[in-house]
Amino acid sequence: MLVNENLVQDIVQEVVAQLKISEPAAKSRGVFSDMNEAIEAAKKAQAIIRRMSLDQREKIISNIRRKTHENAETLARMAVNETGMGNVGHKILKHHLVADKTPGTEDLQTTAWSGDRGLTLIEMGPFGVIGAITPCTNPSETVLCNSIGMIAAGNTVVFNPHPQAIKTSIFALNLINEASVEAGGPDNVACTVEKPTLETSNIMMKHKDIPLIAATGGPGVVTAVLSSGKRGIGAGAGNPPAVVDETADVRKAAQDIVNGCTFDNNLPCIAEKEIVAVDAIADELMNYMIQEQGCYLISKEEQDRLVKTVLTPKGLNRKCVGRDAKTLLGMIGVTVPDNIRCIVFEGEKEHPLIAEELMMPILGMVRAKDIDDAIEKAVWLEHGNRHSAHIHSKNIDNITKYAREIDTAILVKNAPSYAALGFGGEGYCTFTIASRTGEGLTSTKTFTKSRRCVMADSLCIR
Ligand code: NAD
């Protein structure tokens, strides 16, 4: 039998990668068996961090960036292996994005007034130890991104990560603490517990030394945090609609929407979850998606089977979240070639595969008679999350009207959704978009307290 050399090399690489992943870190820094101990350790580390100069803090941050780049592939593979969700290649890109575009200490800007009565400054200072709850959909991306912003602001952080992504989260935390120690900073700048549970989360939320909690996840966790009696940053669920009107470049819209929807198998909360297309271009859009963008059109009968597979009486079937289109179709007995990357169909807005936030590459298209109808349907589909929305249009009035009506933290025009994270668009990156509490795309300054510093009748030299 002739053995294909490339195939052998691929298999060897895969085995080596798996071996690397299963190797436990020599010592996982920042990991405790007890939440109170984790908070205590982070508190001691914060006492050191707050006395460090901005320059020293920035050295820690650049070390975290370097280690994130170096370990992007390991983290991506680890997350896919542990959670069963997502796409390794796309997760690698997400880690590089976090490393390159998450703001550091430069995000801390001082506001100043000077005049006859002296000089007044608003300085941004740390809260102390922040509690952070992170999702399984972007586990290490969120841990790394949160840590960069929180530490750059002079805080330390205690995580209660999603239990299904604990190994990946611990691997990321170890890198963060190594980065700090190597840059002359303290250990335990980012901590967690070996076994995060709702109980450890409760301890964290009630702890006297946690003044601020940042929750990234679905509606349950955001509500829990906002009921904690502490200040909370709530980065909750979305169900972003992509509106396409008759002025759009329809071919490009098909490409952008499918690219955004299929990125990391639709796990990002900002990703296109459904389309609302005006009647004049709806058929053309669907045609481009099927003919040019690797979309598979499912029949009514296949839709029904998919509904039963994907949605259970208790909610989303977690075995379907973050799976690729071919795997999802395989689950309902449909075999498709490897180039199929998205499942499409047309339906009413109330269709369960359209109205629910699925986090799978399934794109239902809702037909609208005109832009006003499209906006009304899109607003309904966003469910008041005020999270993300997208539009493909060249009509400024239509775009403006949509932006005002849907009122989301993110609105991407004429690009894939990931442009909102600075990937193919301007601006910085975050994996915590505070939709519910209104901070929007979080960054270093989000994790600071505002302090007014007044010097009366002096230091004005104008
Ligand atoms: P999830 O809500 O199941 O879990 C998120 C985190 O919250 C986990 O750590 C989980 O253990 C914890 N948690 C859940 N319920 C809790 C409760 N009652 N009390 C305390 N902790 C609780 O979400 P997931 O499946 O990991 O992530 C997907 C969801 O997160 C989607 O809805 C997605 O839109 C959302 N999300 C939002 C953002 C954002 O920036 N707004 C980013 C990523 C994901």
Side-chain angles (χ1 to χ4, degrees), residues 392-441:
H392 296 264
S393 169
K394 288 182 183 150
N395 181 321
I396 290 177
D397 294 339
N398 287 357
I399 296 174
T400 309
K401 194 168 187 183
Y402 182 47
R404 287 202 177 123
E405 296 289 320
I406 201 144
D407 191 23
T408 43
I410 286 174
L411 179 66
V412 177
K413 297 103 184 158
N414 302 324
S417 49
Y418 44 69
L421 301 184
F423 190 59
E426 289 299 326
Y428 64 90
C429 162
T430 183
F431 276 85
T432 294
I433 297 140
S435 41
R436 280 272 291 275
T437 46
E439 292 84 354
L441 285 87

Side-chain angles (χ1 to χ4, degrees), residues 236-316:
N239 191 38
V243 166
V244 187
D245 78 7
E246 66 284 0
T247 68
D249 178 338
V250 181
R251 189 176 196 173
K252 181 175 179 296
Q255 185 180 33
D256 287 349
I257 292 170
V258 178
N259 282 346
C261 170
T262 55
F263 189 64
D264 205 14
N265 294 342
N266 200 245
L267 286 177
C269 51
I270 57 156
E272 294 82 349
K273 300 285 191 283
E274 64 278 333
I275 297 171
V276 185
V278 298
D279 188 44
I281 50 80
D283 292 333
E284 192 187 352
L285 181 71
M286 184 58 93
N287 241 352
Y288 278 127
M289 291 198 293
I290 298 165
Q291 300 302 329
E292 299 186 356
Q293 298 304 326
C295 291
Y296 177 84
L297 181 68
I298 44 171
S299 64
K300 177 77 185 68
E301 193 263 324
E302 287 165 343
Q303 288 169 38
D304 293 343
R305 268 189 282 152
L306 202 53
V307 170
K308 285 200 189 102
T309 306
V310 156
L311 294 162
T312 71
K314 285 189 188 157
L316 276 187

Side-chain angles (χ1 to χ4, degrees), residues 40-53:
E40 189 53 38
K43 190 179 170 188
K44 283 187 184 145
Q46 206 265 331
I48 301 171
I49 287 276
R50 64 185 296 201
R51 288 195 301 269
M52 289 173 83
S53 66

Side-chain angles (χ1 to χ4, degrees), residues 125-415:
F127 271 90
V129 184
I130 299 177
I133 301 174
T134 47
C136 57
T137 47
N138 319 303
S140 40
E141 297 92 320
T142 313
V143 164
L144 288 156
C145 181
N146 279 183
S147 297
I148 290 175
M150 290 170 183
I151 295 167
N155 307 283
T156 54
V157 47
V158 175
F159 286 97
N160 203 67
H162 197 295
Q164 277 171 21
I166 185 63
K167 281 191 207 150
T168 313
S169 306
I170 285 179
F171 192 92
L173 279 166
N174 193 51
L175 295 178
I176 293 160
N177 287 309
E178 270 178 13
S180 174
V181 173
E182 285 170 18
D187 202 355
N188 301 321
V189 288
C191 297
T192 191
V193 283
E194 282 158 12
K195 288 200 178 105
T197 58
L198 284 185
E199 200 189 326
T200 55
S201 172
N202 270 332
I203 295 173
M204 188 178 88
M205 284 193 222
K206 293 196 180 117
H207 200 285
K208 66 175 178 36
D209 291 327
I210 301 281
L212 171 67
I213 304 161
T216 311
V221 63
V222 174
T223 303
V225 163
L226 296 184
S227 321
S228 70
K230 297 270 170 79
R231 162 117 195 261
I233 295 172
N239 191 38
V243 166
V244 187
D245 78 7
E246 66 284 0
T247 68
D249 178 338
V250 181
R251 189 176 196 173
K252 181 175 179 296
Q255 185 180 33
D256 287 349
I257 292 170
V258 178
N259 282 346
C261 170
T262 55
F263 189 64
D264 205 14
N265 294 342
N266 200 245
L267 286 177
C269 51
I270 57 156
E272 294 82 349
K273 300 285 191 283
E274 64 278 333
I275 297 171
V276 185
V278 298
D279 188 44
I281 50 80
D283 292 333
E284 192 187 352
L285 181 71
M286 184 58 93
N287 241 352
Y288 278 127
M289 291 198 293
I290 298 165
Q291 300 302 329
E292 299 186 356
Q293 298 304 326
C295 291
Y296 177 84
L297 181 68
I298 44 171
S299 64
K300 177 77 185 68
E301 193 263 324
E302 287 165 343
Q303 288 169 38
D304 293 343
R305 268 189 282 152
L306 202 53
V307 170
K308 285 200 189 102
T309 306
V310 156
L311 294 162
T312 71
K314 285 189 188 157
L316 276 187
N317 177 356
R318 302 296 292 194
K319 290 195 177 120
C320 297
V321 174
R323 297 316 195 267
D324 60 37
K326 192 176 155 98
T327 306
L328 291 170
L329 287 167
M331 289 178 181
I332 58 160
V334 176
T335 310
V336 291
D338 285 346
N339 67 340
I340 291 300
R341 55 184 187 137
C342 192
I343 300 167
V344 290
F345 66 97
E346 184 175 338
E348 295 300 316
K349 68 180 189 320
E350 294 80 7
H351 192 298
L353 297 178
I354 296 178
E356 294 283 327
E357 186 203 27
L358 297 180
M359 295 177 282
M360 303 165 206
I362 300 175
L363 265 180
M365 184 183 79
V366 179
R367 197 176 284 260
K369 57 179 191 298
D370 54 26
I371 187 68
D372 290 333
D373 189 29
I375 292 174
E376 202 180 313
K377 286 178 165 142
V379 168
W380 185 89
L381 282 161
E382 215 274 321
H383 304 310
N385 292 318
R386 305 278 190 264
H387 191 299
S388 297
H390 314 293
I391 184 164
H392 296 264
S393 169
K394 288 182 183 150
N395 181 321
I396 290 177
D397 294 339
N398 287 357
I399 296 174
T400 309
K401 194 168 187 183
Y402 182 47
R404 287 202 177 123
E405 296 289 320
I406 201 144
D407 191 23
T408 43
I410 286 174
L411 179 66
V412 177
K413 297 103 184 158
N414 302 324

